[in-house]
Amino acid sequence: MTHRYGDVLALDRLDLEVREGEVLAVLGPNGAGKTTAVGLLLGTLTPQSGAARVFGAAPDDAAVRRRRGAMLQVSGVPETLTVAEHLALFRAYYPSPLPTARLLEMAGLGELRDRRFGKLSGGQKQRVMFALALAGDPELVFLDEPTAGLDLDGRRRLWDEIRGLRVAGRTAVLTTHYLEEADALADRIAVIHRGRLIAEGSPEEIKSRTAGRVVRSVTSISPETARSFPEAVQVETRGQHLEIVTAEPEALLRRMFELDSGLGDLTVVGAGLEEAFLALTGGVTGGVTGGAGGPEGGT
Amino acid sequence: MEPTPHTLRPGLGWSVRIALLETRFQFLSSLRLPAFAVPTLLFPLFFYLFFAVVFPSGGPSLAAPTYLLATFGVFGVLAPSIFGFGVGLAQERDSGALVLKRTTPMPAGAYLFARVGVAAIFGAVVIVGLFLLAGYAAGVELYRGQWFALAGAILAGVLPFSAIGLAIGAWAKQQAAVAVVNLVFIAMSVLSGLWFPIQMLPGFLQDFANALPAYHLGQLALKVVALDLGRPVWLHLVLLGGQTAICLVVAAAGFRRFSGR
């Protein structure tokens, strides 16, 4: 699927498959195209080329809508209605909804059923949106950044509830920019960067591939030389320091000490997600073709 | 319970049930919003009490309360329609509630039905209140048929006024929608002769009134009590229909832009 917003290419020939019964995490930094991908799979957006199919039909088909639920990234419901009223309305949309008591229990909303939506905390609101996504007892659930903006406690609680989906045998698509979250919840992770699928695999595979490090030091090695190192993914100078992103810090350091024994002010830190994505794309962010199998390399 | 519920094709009965439920909850939600419910329900009654009962002025003393009964009635239907659609819709779109509903099996028609229905309920309450004030406090005397015809003409305004609100709500963000709706609401109610007859306005503004749906609806309501400007009913209906159609086209274009975003 390809999708543009004006001149901005949000998704570039993204090819993504969700298998029945799995929890698929779509992982990527902000602006990677995760929400666009979810919009296309939900039928709230139409791709400029390519097509999304859900249960063998168009994503906005009436029969499809009855079998899936969604929790959107930017979403609220009218603030003056209570939790129970919102649930009653959403349950009515579906042919065989989950009982209200069960929804309240699954989302941990028991004591809050008569509280108005506008009076809830951010985490409680997210749990209401989660319960609304499940109101129709869906086979397929979309969760677009469900824990964005939640504190640690709120995130853990929602994680527990999302894990419950897996136990119930539902299929779920979850977007997140936390590798930790994808790792904790998903059977399979698809990494998206700049609208392209750059890696796909089990959480273990993805984790090992994103184990990038930043090696920072004051050295006589020139950036040009550093760029020629096979271990170096990206090289940058910051003031006096040379920063090298790498997936193999030990081998890189051995090479650097051979060339410059006077190397000083050395730090090796875990790469952030941005650096991890660079490691995955091999540093060539402009021209990687993101095939379904992802790029080779890593461990 | 049915064996494979998702293969059942929901019928008309289901759609009607959703539409009524949607109306019920939208009504509850609006009623609990003092910023919407209080001015919508009380302003027309308060203005009528003030201008028609306490200080009736200008013209023959019995004509003013009757004139204002018709025009404040239109005013009373205009407010919930244009604010409910204009501001309510923009708000639900900005909050993401509308997109969320689009992912559910809710028929889009049920949502529109509910918004029109809520405006009609608020409008009907205002009409009943105005009629009670007019009959018991302002001394307005009409034939039974006139009361019903007047109520019907005024309440029909829910449709063209909702179309105006829809057009604004489809384009403007919530903050902008509040300003635009207020401006349209106040300007249109004055320039349409809802506060005083448009003969008191300069000539070019009297001509401009033809472009305003509230003017035509006001004239139709005033015709019931024989206080209109004497132009034919069909002319008002044609212009009102055309203006409503334009609003719907503008609204549809706004929604297309929104779903492509």
Side-chain angles (χ1 to χ4, degrees), chain A residues 27 52 88 128 168 187 256:
Chain A
L27 176 68
V128 173
D187 301 306
M256 289 175 76

Side-chain angles (χ1 to χ4, degrees), chain A residues 5 43-45 65-68 70 72 74-76 78 80-81 85 89-90 92-96 116 129 139, chain B residues 5-6 8 10 14 18 21-22 25 28-29 32-33 92 95-97 99-106 259 261:
Chain A
Y5 298 101
T44 54
L45 297 171
R65 290 198 243 168
R66 286 194 287 279
R67 295 168 66 185
R68 64 131 202 253
L72 305 180
V74 182
S75 195
T80 48
L81 293 179
E85 286 164 345
L89 185 59
F90 270 68
Y93 296 152
Y94 299 92
S96 55
R116 289 186 187 180
M129 303 317 287
E139 295 161 57
Chain B
H6 58 259
L8 291 176
W14 176 81
I18 299 294
L21 208 60
E22 201 74 36
F25 284 120
L28 268 180
S29 168
R32 289 176 190 164
L33 210 63
E92 295 212 334
S95 76
V99 182
L100 181 66
K101 292 219 179 208
R102 272 180 58 197
T103 70
T104 73
M106 183 201 73
S259 39
R261 192 172 59 183

Side-chain angles (χ1 to χ4, degrees), chain A residues 214-217 264-269:
Chain A
V214 181
V215 175
R216 192 164 184 267
S217 61
D265 199 11
L266 173 72
T267 52
V268 180
V269 293

Side-chain angles (χ1 to χ4, degrees), chain A residues 185-230:
Chain A
L185 299 174
D187 301 306
R188 203 157 60 89
I189 298 177
V191 184
I192 295 188
H193 188 50
R194 301 190 184 181
R196 295 180 180 203
L197 184 69
I198 56 170
E200 200 179 4
S202 71
E204 288 67 33
E205 286 168 337
I206 298 296
K207 265 194 301 184
S208 64
R209 281 196 240 164
T210 54
R213 294 284 184 275
V214 181
V215 175
R216 192 164 184 267
S217 61
V218 178
T219 172
S220 60
I221 300 169
S222 73
E224 291 71 35
T225 314
R227 278 191 193 97
S228 68
F229 297 162

Side-chain angles (χ1 to χ4, degrees), chain B residues 105-174:
Chain B
M106 183 201 73
Y111 183 84
L112 294 177
F113 176 90
R115 283 242 171 257
V116 176
V118 169
I121 295 170
F122 275 92
V125 171
V126 171
I127 290 171
V128 169
L130 280 174
F131 280 15
L132 291 174
L133 275 180
Y136 291 106
V140 172
E141 288 180 18
L142 297 175
Y143 295 112
R144 180 184 297 194
Q146 279 180 304
W147 288 110
F148 283 108
L150 188 59
I154 294 169
L155 208 51
V158 166
L159 294 173
F161 298 157
S162 292
I164 301 172
L166 191 65
I168 298 171
W171 281 94
K173 284 196 171 292
Q174 188 195 339

